[in-house]
Amino acid sequence: MRQQLRKLQLPEKLRWNHNEWYRRWLLRQLPSGVDSALDVGCGLGDLARSLKAGEVTAIDANARMIERASAGSDRVNWIHGDVLTHDLGRYDVVTAEASLHHLPLREGLARLAELTKPGGTLVVIGLYLTATRSDHAMEFVTLPANAVVGLLKAINGTGGKPHDPEMPMVMTAPTLPEIRAAAAEIVPGARVRRHLFWRYSMVWHAPEVH
């Protein structure tokens, strides 16, 4: 059995949402003026509501998440379904925020690529398993930085909200070498970067069809 993503947890009051930390970065990677966008594993829909596109679709396998997300906006086409099997189109923008590790890595990534139109953009912010020497070395920076940000957020009243209690949690994830290998095979040319706070990003521009 794989180890959990993190062994150390801050006190509840110092915990905070790492996905929100990277959401602005994710949105900056997206082109403007696109016709269609899909958010995969949308959860409560915060990212989906932030996507700028003529038509925004969001899908999640958890019925409760879709029920709550759809109550907050009717601009998004909310779908309760399995992204691997649900009948979906192709989109100018596909996003996956902390959701790819809920799927089998290669099958999930291949599906995200399939849903991206030629010339479109796929952006993933994902979790990776701390496994390599460089991962463990990164912890010497990540752990104190995580505590500092948690303390600052607690002081200004925005801490203590690491995730919604109804949000499904998966405590395992692929390693960065596994993610890089899958990306090289399935979405060649994708840019995969390690980020602070146990996240990686993947940005892929689907080739144009000539």
Side-chain angles (χ1 to χ4, degrees):
M1 181 181 293
R2 289 188 164 193
Q3 68 188 74
Q4 290 189 342
L5 287 174
R6 295 194 296 279
K7 295 180 180 179
L8 299 176
Q9 289 282 2
L10 292 174
E12 185 67 32
K13 291 182 179 180
L14 298 185
R15 297 181 193 176
W16 53 282
N17 191 315
H18 299 104
N19 297 326
E20 289 181 359
W21 181 270
Y22 291 108
R23 190 166 298 145
R24 288 184 182 180
W25 181 92
L26 186 158
L27 292 170
R28 289 198 298 269
Q29 311 313 304
L30 303 178
S32 58
V34 299
D35 292 329
S36 60
L38 171 70
D39 184 36
V40 175
C42 65
L44 294 175
D46 294 331
L47 174 57
R49 284 187 286 270
S50 299
L51 295 176
K52 307 297 184 184
E55 181 178 337
V56 177
T57 300
I59 185 169
D60 200 289
N62 186 287
R64 178 58 176 159
M65 293 295 102
I66 290 296
E67 178 186 358
R68 292 178 59 189
S70 61
S73 173
D74 57 5
R75 185 182 71 86
V76 178
N77 176 30
W78 304 102
I79 297 175
H80 170 223
D82 183 344
V83 69
L84 296 178
T85 58
H86 198 87
D87 185 15
L88 296 163
R90 303 184 83 181
Y91 302 83
D92 298 305
V93 161
V94 175
T95 59
E97 181 185 79
S99 59
L100 183 54
H101 68 287
H102 287 259
L103 305 172
L105 174 60
R106 290 176 179 270
E107 185 180 0
L109 184 56
R111 179 60 169 156
L112 297 184
E114 177 187 339
L115 293 169
T116 307
K117 283 184 179 180
T121 301
L122 166 65
V123 182
V124 175
I125 290 287
L127 285 71
Y128 68 88
L129 183 72
T130 300
T132 67
R133 289 184 179 180
S134 58
D135 295 340
H136 290 294
M138 189 73 170
E139 298 277 83
F140 288 102
V141 177
T142 301
L143 290 171
N146 186 49
V148 168
V149 173
L151 178 60
L152 293 174
K153 285 182 171 290
I155 291 172
N156 66 24
T158 61
K161 303 172 184 177
H163 60 82
D164 187 275
E166 290 190 325
M167 189 79 72
M169 299 291 290
V170 176
M171 296 306 293
T172 62
T175 65
L176 267 178
E178 289 171 338
I179 293 162
R180 293 184 192 278
E185 177 185 327
I186 298 167
V187 284
R191 185 175 76 250
V192 180
R193 293 178 50 200
R194 181 204 310 271
H195 292 266
L196 201 61
F197 306 129
W198 305 281
R199 297 295 186 273
Y200 72 91
S201 65
M202 183 188 303
V203 180
W204 180 63
H205 301 288
E208 296 274 4
V209 174
H210 298 290

